[in-house]
Amino acid sequence: MPPALPAVEYRIRPANPGAHLFHVSCTVRDPDPAGQVFRLPAWIPGSYMIREFARNIVTLRAELDGEAWPIDKLDKHSWRAAPVPDGGVLSLYYEVYAWDLSVRAAHLDGTHGFFNGTSVFLAVEGRSDRPCLVDIERPDGAEYRDWKVATALPLARGVAGAARPYGFGWYRAADYDELIDHPVEMGSFTLGHFDAAGVTHDIVLTGRHDCDLERLCEDLRRVCEWQIALFGAPPPMDYYAFLTMVVGEGYGGLEHRASTALLCSRAELPWKGMEGLPDGYKSFLGLCSHEYFHSWNVKRIKPAAFTPYDLTQENYTRLLWAFEGFTSYYDDLALVRSGVIAPDDYLGLLGKTVSAVLRGSGRSKQSVAESSFDAWTKYYRQDENAPNAIVSYYAKGALIALALDLQLRAGSDGRSSLDDVMRLLWQRHGQTGLGVAEEGVFDAVRETGGGTLGPKLARWLKKTVEGTDDLPLARLLKGFGIDWQAEPTTAAPSLGVKLAAGNGECRLASVHDGGAAQAAGLSAGDVLIALDGLKLGSGKALDDMLARRQPGDEVEIHAFRRDELMVFSVVLGEPVVDKISLKPAEKASAGALKLRRGWLGRAA
Ligand SMILES: [Zn+2]
């Protein structure tokens, strides 16, 4: 047996919660004799934007065998220590500022600590295949006596000081890639458990809440079990954690191989005595379902461009429509197929996705393949022109998945579906670690469909993801006994704008291409103050005034741009048909009903 590689050892201590500082050390027993380079990732997998986490490193120094040792900064996120004599043990000590309340970085105060490894653990260049040991330390002080640790990082069993379940102490990872794929929560959180296909799943809630944990565990168990059954038991992890930060107003999630970091609004969680299924709770379940589906689709079935990740720069792929879009399709679908929501609820959610896609004229300028490729500079860095310039590879990607699923089902008389495509991708890529080439999804569709259907749908898919045509959803859904109804959200004439939320003022967030406001010269950022000489305090006042006018009417709008008062003459447009409702048809053929039940479950 070859000698075990020396592990890289990290220690992380919430040294000063009041100042939001983690103290971290990294010890290397066999540093590069030419001068060891250390580097912090520039981005975190799952969130496709350069974030330059190293800007939060406040101080950094090196020691050799306990004595100060020279180290130089090479670039924005890399350092190189002076060459070390044979047998020397090199340690780095650094402080990380952690005050980013998102799922992507690190956050620390007197109530809890949270970190992603990408924010706190420097990679040791040339040693990223080494096992890693991490000592997660409890902050000093009696007030932290009750703190626990929640993470999917494996316990370092057999190591002196190894952590016990939910405890501080030593954890381990097989290599750096695994180390940074297990976020860590610490504090006095609420813990719920459930078993799905023999695997323990934890729900960890940080922040004040009145959650009905029993209900949440039961609903999530059904969703997780359905997903596990889709790909085939057992699931690819032996433990899973939903690490959830509960706040007044917030939404976000990031997927990892055996956990997810979530941010949710308190009002979205179920409460004891809750009746029905409120929209907020449906949305939270959809988020959990989405991140869980990623355990297969993107964490294990990965684009070739991510195998391995290059964490120093953008990693380009034209496939995010498959990894985010297909996951977005299955997130709500898993809720109905597992029986957690009713088919009518599901059609309501689907109608909202369809409407959202049809509202942006950017869909006629950018394909989902281009949107995927440009995620780093466009989808993740949206400005006021985004609705006119880009399409969401999430939302349109989900509709492409829907159209593909319906065509596979209809074309095979219900014998094959997108489920089979996902299973093929899982066997071919997820279980082998082989990345999905840029043509890989088309290949899987061709083979799944087989005969003439497979090649036809593979060609259709390629043309669709590379093009900007709208999807034939109304026609496809009709074959499943579902009616498509398009109508305006409001009967009032249209200004062609989106208002910014809040503040009691009427500020334009975006101005839509081809709309009345754009034709009159109004711009995003303009604050509308009067319509035909009457004050506009809020968006509601604007809606009320527009409702009393007709398309084609000319109105005078006063607005501030910068600090200059300007006046615009606006000819109001026709109400925009932007609301799609999907409902089970009153009359549907037996064939359509059979397809619908195959798709949405027996309750449909
Ligand atoms: Zn996602």
Side-chain angles (χ1 to χ4, degrees):
M1 227 167 76
L5 295 170
V8 176
E9 285 177 23
Y10 297 89
R11 285 170 186 266
I12 179 161
R13 191 159 65 90
N16 190 343
H20 320 302
L21 289 174
F22 281 110
H23 284 191
V24 189
S25 71
C26 172
T27 297
V28 192
R29 297 187 185 281
D30 61 334
D32 181 348
Q36 182 62 58
V37 171
F38 297 86
R39 184 173 288 129
L40 203 64
W43 60 283
I44 180 167
S47 183
Y48 306 109
M49 181 170 156
I50 298 299
R51 296 187 189 272
E52 297 162 335
F53 297 115
R55 67 198 164 83
N56 290 316
I57 293 185
V58 181
T59 62
L60 181 144
R61 64 188 171 82
E63 281 185 10
L64 182 70
D65 301 325
E67 302 286 329
W69 193 250
I71 187 161
D72 288 327
K73 195 157 188 190
L74 297 179
D75 59 32
K76 63 184 180 180
H77 49 206
S78 315
W79 288 259
R80 180 162 53 215
V84 163
D86 219 14
V89 175
L90 182 65
S91 293
L92 255 56
Y93 297 88
Y94 51 101
E95 292 175 295
V96 180
Y97 179 67
W99 195 236
D100 178 335
L101 189 60
S102 79
V103 295
R104 303 177 296 257
H107 191 255
L108 173 66
D109 65 12
T111 68
H112 90 126
F114 169 81
F115 63 82
N116 284 287
T118 37
S119 281
V120 295
F121 297 135
L122 284 163
V124 183
E125 194 174 80
R127 304 288 184 272
S128 52
D129 56 341
R130 296 295 160 90
C132 301
L133 285 169
V134 190
D135 186 10
I136 303 176
E137 299 181 22
R138 187 191 297 276
D140 289 334
E143 65 270 42
Y144 304 111
R145 223 173 20 217
D146 296 338
W147 277 28
K148 297 167 290 194
V149 175
T151 179
L153 258 180
L155 308 172
R157 294 188 201 280
V159 169
R164 298 158 68 90
Y166 310 109
F168 289 90
W170 288 95
Y171 289 79
R172 76 161 90 236
D175 52 28
Y176 184 76
D177 183 55
E178 182 185 358
L179 175 70
I180 58 168
D181 204 13
H182 295 299
V184 174
E185 172 68 31
M186 59 180 82
S188 41
F189 43 75
T190 316
L191 200 51
H193 317 273
F194 63 90
D195 174 293
V199 170
T200 299
H201 290 60
D202 279 346
I203 299 173
V204 178
L205 297 178
T206 297
R208 293 181 197 176
H209 64 84
D210 57 357
C211 180
D212 178 351
L213 239 127
E214 219 173 302
R215 169 75 188 267
L216 182 57
C217 284
E218 175 52 19
D219 287 344
L220 280 183
R221 182 188 64 74
R222 290 162 75 177
V223 174
C224 294
E225 287 197 331
W226 184 83
Q227 293 193 16
I228 293 167
L230 170 71
F231 287 101
M237 61 301 224
D238 54 17
Y239 166 79
Y240 191 89
F242 293 90
L243 305 177
T244 313
M245 179 78 200
V246 185
V247 296
E249 195 76 42
Y251 180 85
L254 194 58
E255 67 276 10
H256 300 281
R257 68 183 67 184
S259 60
T260 174
L262 304 169
L263 182 69
C264 79
S265 301
R266 188 169 301 119
E268 291 188 337
L269 295 172
W271 62 95
K272 288 248 187 269
M274 177 181 84
E275 283 178 22
L277 208 61
D279 283 350
Y281 182 43
K282 263 185 273 183
S283 151
F284 179 67
L285 287 174
L287 176 66
C288 294
S289 176
H290 181 97
E291 305 307 344
Y292 195 73
F293 196 82
H294 274 316
S295 307
W296 290 269
N297 196 31
V298 95
K299 293 314 303 188
R300 291 177 175 84
I301 306 168
K302 281 185 187 184
F306 294 172
T307 47
Y309 298 114
D310 176 353
L311 296 172
T312 65
Q313 59 184 346
E314 293 86 348
N315 291 191
Y316 295 103
T317 170
R318 297 170 73 81
L319 289 181
L320 294 183
W321 54 266
F323 292 95
E324 288 301 347
F326 283 23
T327 300
S328 296
Y329 172 58
Y330 274 102
D331 59 23
D332 288 341
L333 188 68
L335 302 186
V336 64
R337 295 270 286 274
S338 63
V340 169
I341 68 172
D344 284 0
D345 284 328
Y346 175 71
L347 293 177
L349 293 170
L350 194 56
K352 281 185 190 161
T353 306
V354 174
S355 306
V357 171
L358 292 179
R359 259 169 221 158
S361 66
R363 74 186 197 285
S364 65
K365 293 163 199 147
Q366 191 191 41
S367 70
V368 289
E370 290 167 333
S371 180
S372 300
F373 191 87
D374 283 333
W376 305 84
T377 51
K378 294 192 173 181
Y379 186 81
Y380 268 90
R381 291 170 65 179
Q382 295 186 27
D383 61 16
E384 67 288 341
N385 197 42
N388 297 324
I390 68 171
V391 68
S392 164
Y393 51 78
Y394 283 84
K396 190 171 177 192
L399 299 186
I400 290 171
L402 166 68
L404 182 59
D405 196 11
L406 298 183
Q407 290 178 91
L408 274 165
R409 287 171 184 278
S412 67
D413 197 22
R415 280 188 301 275
S416 87
S417 71
L418 193 58
D419 298 356
D420 299 308
V421 177
M422 295 314 302
R423 281 190 281 266
L424 180 59
L425 289 170
W426 170 239
Q427 286 151 15
R428 182 168 296 171
H429 301 284
Q431 293 182 316
T432 62
L434 194 71
V436 180
E438 297 287 296
E439 301 285 315
V441 183
F442 309 130
D443 294 342
V445 168
R446 188 178 305 111
E447 287 171 47
T448 301
T452 53
L453 179 67
K456 188 181 116 191
L457 286 181
R459 279 195 304 276
W460 171 85
L461 182 62
K462 187 169 165 61
K463 182 168 157 275
T464 301
V465 302
E466 296 285 351
T468 57
D469 288 350
D470 284 337
L471 299 157
L473 287 174
R475 173 174 63 76
L476 292 173
L477 286 163
K478 192 162 191 271
F480 285 67
I482 288 161
D483 280 345
W484 166 289
Q485 228 176 61
E487 60 195 349
T489 304
T490 151
S494 158
L495 206 51
V497 299
K498 180 165 179 269
L499 298 180
N503 279 347
E505 63 176 18
C506 198
R507 181 185 293 272
L508 302 185
S510 48
V511 171
H512 300 155
D513 274 357
Q518 191 185 62
L522 281 159
S523 282
D526 288 353
V527 178
L528 312 193
I529 56 167
L531 187 146
D532 285 342
L534 293 174
K535 184 179 169 185
L536 288 169
S538 66
K540 167 93 172 57
L542 177 65
D543 290 345
D544 290 347
M545 286 194 215
L546 290 175
R548 303 174 79 96
R549 288 170 171 76
Q550 298 297 317
D553 283 1
E554 191 170 340
V555 297
E556 187 182 67
I557 289 183
H558 281 84
F560 276 116
R561 179 176 306 168
R562 302 180 292 276
D563 54 355
E564 298 176 13
L565 181 64
M566 302 185 180
V567 61
F568 301 88
S569 178
V570 185
V571 179
L572 298 176
E574 292 291 331
V576 183
V577 178
D578 61 355
K579 188 180 163 198
I580 308 300
S581 307
L582 304 176
K583 300 228 164 62
E586 303 256 317
K587 280 187 200 152
S589 68
L593 277 178
K594 185 177 156 222
L595 284 172
R596 190 163 86 205
R597 292 198 181 113
W599 173 43
L600 295 182
R602 277 195 301 273

